[in-house]
Amino acid sequence: MIPIDSVTSDEYPESNFNSNNDRPDKPEEACGVFGLYAPGEDVAKLTYFGLYALQHRGQESAGIATFEGTKVHLHKDMGLVSQVFNESILEELPGNLAVGHTRYSTTGSSRKVNAQPAVVETRLGNLALAHNGNLVNTTQLRDELLKSNFNLVTTTDSEMIAFAIAEAVNAGADWLDGAIQAFHRCQGAFSLVIGTPVGVMGTRDPNGIRPLVIGTVGTNPVRYVLSSETCGLDIIGAEYLRDVEPGELVWITEEGLASYHWSQQPQRKLCIFEMIYFARPDSVMHNETLYSYRMRLGRQLAAESNVEADIVFGVPDSGIPAAIGFSQASGVSYGEGLIKNRYVGRTFIQPTQTMRESGIRMKLNPLKDVLAGKRVVIVDDSIVRGTTSRKLVKALRDAGAAEVHMRISSPPVTHPCFYGIDTDSQDQLIAATKSVEEIAQQLEVESLAYLSWEGMLKATGEDTNSFCSACFTGDYPVAIPEQVKRSKLILEKVVV
């Protein structure tokens, strides 16, 4: 048995959050990872707050592993970060370094046994791994590990990466070489934070599809922090240093931070949806907050598809920056037309059919006196299945809106993601089977317009070839094995 303290048991059945009837009409989040090496600091509490800032990236489970010499202390459970941890639990997680994770399931169902970090034993001691992303060669890697007689206890690709490192270490490699050997066996998207008895590793796949940043804690000597986004640094007072580069491994120990470029052909392909929707608007990418980028999307959207209207507003919260930008560029007055109940989280209690039919509004409620008799422009970041958008339009109509014009600050989502975003199969994506005009008819809006693919990339101000936009084009930067592709991709490639 692995000598781990405070491991929780698998008491809960699979969640029903992902049933087609109850799924939100959005791409589901990636995961959040956090880690630091900070002897003398309360590493568990710092990691808790880091995960708290990354909560938007996953709300199904959370976990923290700390290393006290060779001893690992681990606590993970289903639920939000604030539900999984309290002061007494954090006090039982001593150590000099920590790895944390907040999860939305992609590979592996929503069960406690699949919560991370994944901890495995090696000849050099235990390692704890937290993963953001999704491998596309999971089946092949799993078969290889089973042939090597590894006892896989979860259904996650994350555990398989951990065991691949263990296999190399057990064969004689040190931590660095073992990790690099394992990374070369992985295909797809992976941003990893890995704890060992002597230090913390951080790495990104050769395309850097999912983000990972490095921060510094102002102690003497300087200590380093890894986080999926800069908002995880801000909350603990750490300073952003730089991004972990695609195909880079950073190794944080008592000696400081060392860098190793393990991929010979890195080619940056950051997921564009991180910038449009997933990452927090106060997180920094390309030397600016994403709030600024999302405002530019709105200005570009207005330039491409302005309309005569009385008021423009965004779907809270993700549509608001683009709506402000749209207002600035179009001259249409910005206001609030929808109020969000910000205390609503995931719930196991499902509304009754009567409540569904009466239009239960758990999250958003329209302002009738603002909307009555008005021609409104409502801005959202994306439409996936269209179910929520249609209900939202009906609510605006019921509130008295005279005209409803919908504007989307990204192109039509026509292809599923295989790199860590939970999207439906292609036939469930409304834009894969219907034209913009047909979608407008289904949503019952006066007009509907999406941002162009070119406009979305132009607004980044970066090399347009350095982003993954496969969900809009079907051009996947990492080849998808046929058996994986068949599970979601059933229609022809769409040209944008």
Side-chain angles (χ1 to χ4, degrees), residues 36-43 46 67 95-98 198 217 219-224 252-255:
L36 78 164
Y37 181 91
E41 302 292 327
D42 190 338
V43 295
L46 290 172
F67 283 75
N96 292 328
L97 61 94
V198 293
V217 179
T219 56
N220 188 12
V222 172
R223 302 304 188 185
Y224 294 92
I252 304 168
T253 65
E254 182 62 31
E255 297 177 358

Side-chain angles (χ1 to χ4, degrees), residues 7-228:
V7 181
T8 53
S9 61
D10 184 20
E11 299 168 355
Y12 293 95
E14 290 192 20
S15 166
N16 62 358
F17 289 145
N18 292 336
S19 68
N20 282 334
N21 291 332
D22 301 316
R23 292 185 65 170
D25 189 20
K26 292 284 184 184
E28 290 289 3
E29 294 88 340
C31 297
V33 298
F34 190 89
L36 78 164
Y37 181 91
E41 302 292 327
D42 190 338
V43 295
K45 188 165 288 187
L46 290 172
T47 303
Y48 167 85
F49 284 111
L51 295 180
Y52 191 85
L54 298 172
Q55 184 73 85
H56 60 287
R57 299 186 67 86
Q59 299 89 45
E60 292 192 353
S61 65
I64 296 174
T66 63
F67 283 75
E68 188 181 24
T70 59
K71 189 174 185 180
V72 182
H73 305 274
L74 172 67
H75 184 82
K76 54 184 178 179
D77 208 339
M78 302 298 291
L80 302 176
V81 175
S82 60
Q83 296 169 326
V84 172
F85 296 99
N86 57 38
E87 289 277 2
S88 61
I89 290 173
L90 292 172
E91 288 174 0
E92 295 175 1
L93 299 173
N96 292 328
L97 61 94
V99 170
H101 189 266
T102 183
R103 182 173 192 259
Y104 178 83
S105 60
T106 49
T107 296
S109 59
S110 177
R111 303 176 62 205
K112 188 186 294 187
V113 71
N114 287 332
Q116 294 183 39
V119 177
V120 301
E121 190 174 13
T122 79
R123 69 176 181 86
L124 298 178
N126 296 311
L127 70 88
L129 180 144
H131 174 205
N132 174 24
N134 201 57
L135 301 187
V136 298
N137 66 327
T138 303
T139 301
Q140 174 189 340
L141 186 57
R142 183 178 180 84
D143 289 344
E144 292 172 0
L145 292 169
L146 289 174
K147 288 178 181 177
S148 298
N149 296 318
F150 281 99
N151 180 25
L152 303 179
V153 297
T154 78
T155 58
T156 69
D157 52 355
S158 310
E159 183 195 37
M160 296 175 203
I161 301 173
F163 274 123
I165 297 172
E167 184 171 36
V169 168
N170 291 343
D174 61 17
W175 287 117
L176 285 176
D177 288 340
I180 290 171
Q181 288 179 40
F183 301 157
H184 281 295
R185 300 173 67 182
C186 299
Q187 299 170 24
F190 52 96
S191 285
L192 305 171
V193 175
I194 304 165
T196 74
V198 293
V200 175
M201 283 184 267
T203 196
R204 293 172 75 192
D205 65 79
N207 294 116
I209 295 173
R210 298 281 155 232
L212 188 64
V213 301
I214 309 168
T216 58
V217 179
T219 56
N220 188 12
V222 172
R223 302 304 188 185
Y224 294 92
V225 185
L226 298 167
S227 176
S228 290

Side-chain angles (χ1 to χ4, degrees), residues 410-424:
S410 66
V413 176
T414 55
H415 285 70
C417 178
F418 297 93
Y419 306 134
I421 298 174
D422 184 24
T423 52
D424 286 296

Side-chain angles (χ1 to χ4, degrees), residues 54 279 293 319 327 349 400 440 442 445 452 485 490:
L54 298 172
Y293 171 66
S327 173
I349 308 302
Q442 181 166 320
V445 293
S452 68
K485 187 182 296 186
I490 60 174

Side-chain angles (χ1 to χ4, degrees), residues 2 73 123 135 234 261 325 347 444 491:
I2 302 173
H73 305 274
R123 69 176 181 86
L135 301 187
D234 297 337
H261 292 272
T347 174
E444 300 182 350
L491 304 175

